[in-house]
Amino acid sequence: MTGLLFPDLVPMLPPERPAPRYDLRKEPRRPRHRDDWYCERPQAVLKLLFVELIKGPALDPCCGRGNIPKMLRGAGIQCLGSDIRDRGFEGVVADFLDPGFRLPAGVRTIMYNPPFRNAQAFVQRALGLGVDKVCALLPLTFLEGGKRYRWYMEGGLVRVWVFSSRESMPPGDLLEAGEIEPEGGKKAFAWFVWERGWRGPWQGGWLP
C-alpha cells in the first residue's frame, strides 16, 4: 500500500522491526533531554500522510534531524525546517517561541514533534501565526487536564490520530551516539490536528 501511494518514500524508510518486550520495572530511568529532544521515526510521519491532506509550503520548527521535512519532501510537499539548535539538518537555527520569530512567507502548515514540556505554548504559537493547519505529534496524555480541557473548548482541534501501537521516541543525543535503537515504545502517542476556523467537536481515529 505504501508503494502505491508514496513510491518515492519507500527507500527512505528503515526496515520495520518487531518491538521488543520491556520490563518497565528493570528499565533505568534516564534524565530528560535538556531541550526535550526526542526523535520520531519516519514511519510515524508517513502514517499521518495516509489520513491527512498536508498542503505546502510547510514548516517544522522543531526539525531535529529532519525526519518530517524529508518525508514531506519525498511526498512532493515543500517543507522547511528550523530548530533551536543545529542538529545536523539544513534548517535555520531559531527559537520558535521567541516573539521575534518570523514565519517564512507562504507557509500554510506547521507540522512538528514539539517538546512536551512546552507543547501547549508551541501549539498556541503556531495557531497564532495564522497558518491553515497545525499537526503536532504528542503523547496521548496531552488530552488530559482541566485547564487544557477549557483551552480545547475554545476550538481549533479537529482530529486526533492515535497510533495503534506505541511509538518509539528515543532521546536524540543517545540516538545520534548509537547508544539506543528506535525500537519499542513506552507511551501512547497521537497526531493532534488543528485547523484554522474550526469550532466543532474533534474526532478521533487510529493509525496502524
Side-chain angles (χ1 to χ4, degrees):
M1 182 173 68
T2 301
L4 292 175
L5 291 176
F6 301 111
D8 294 337
L9 296 184
V10 176
M12 301 172 63
L13 292 174
E16 289 276 9
R17 301 176 183 176
R21 294 183 178 273
Y22 285 100
D23 184 341
L24 298 181
R25 295 168 298 179
K26 297 180 180 179
E27 283 291 301
R29 214 171 161 76
R30 306 179 198 269
R32 290 194 67 82
H33 188 277
R34 63 172 182 169
D35 296 329
D36 253 11
W37 178 35
Y38 294 87
C39 294
E40 72 287 341
R41 300 185 308 153
Q43 287 92 337
V45 184
L46 179 61
K47 289 176 182 180
L48 184 68
L49 297 182
F50 281 123
V51 296
E52 282 289 335
L53 177 62
I54 305 298
K55 295 182 179 180
L59 170 70
D60 177 1
C62 309
C63 68
R65 306 198 309 171
N67 284 340
I68 291 176
K70 289 174 184 176
M71 295 304 293
L72 263 59
R73 292 174 186 179
I77 303 167
Q78 181 184 355
C79 185
L80 307 172
S82 66
D83 204 303
I84 195 170
R85 303 188 195 283
D86 183 355
R87 307 196 193 278
F89 187 63
E90 64 191 47
V92 174
V93 175
D95 182 353
F96 186 62
L97 296 184
D98 189 308
F101 180 90
R102 291 182 176 270
L103 187 71
V107 167
R108 302 178 65 182
T109 302
I110 291 178
M111 182 174 172
Y112 52 4
N113 172 12
F116 183 56
R117 65 186 174 204
N118 290 328
Q120 186 168 336
F122 269 77
V123 173
Q124 290 174 317
R125 175 66 166 148
L127 295 172
L129 292 173
V131 296
D132 296 335
K133 179 177 286 190
V134 176
C135 304
L137 179 58
L138 294 164
L140 188 56
T141 53
F142 194 66
L143 279 174
E144 300 174 353
K147 291 182 179 179
R148 200 171 289 148
Y149 166 77
R150 291 189 288 275
W151 174 59
Y152 283 133
M153 291 301 99
E154 296 175 4
L157 181 66
V158 60
R159 284 175 292 277
V160 177
W161 296 104
V162 183
F163 290 94
S164 58
S165 58
R166 292 191 170 185
E167 274 294 312
S168 175
M169 205 71 65
D173 53 345
L174 297 182
L175 191 62
E176 285 194 331
E179 297 180 18
I180 194 170
E181 291 289 332
E183 298 178 344
K186 299 179 184 178
K187 291 183 179 181
F189 281 86
W191 279 105
F192 290 68
V193 181
W194 287 262
E195 291 183 354
R196 183 173 57 167
W198 179 258
R199 289 293 180 268
W202 62 270
Q203 296 180 327
W206 298 97
L207 297 174

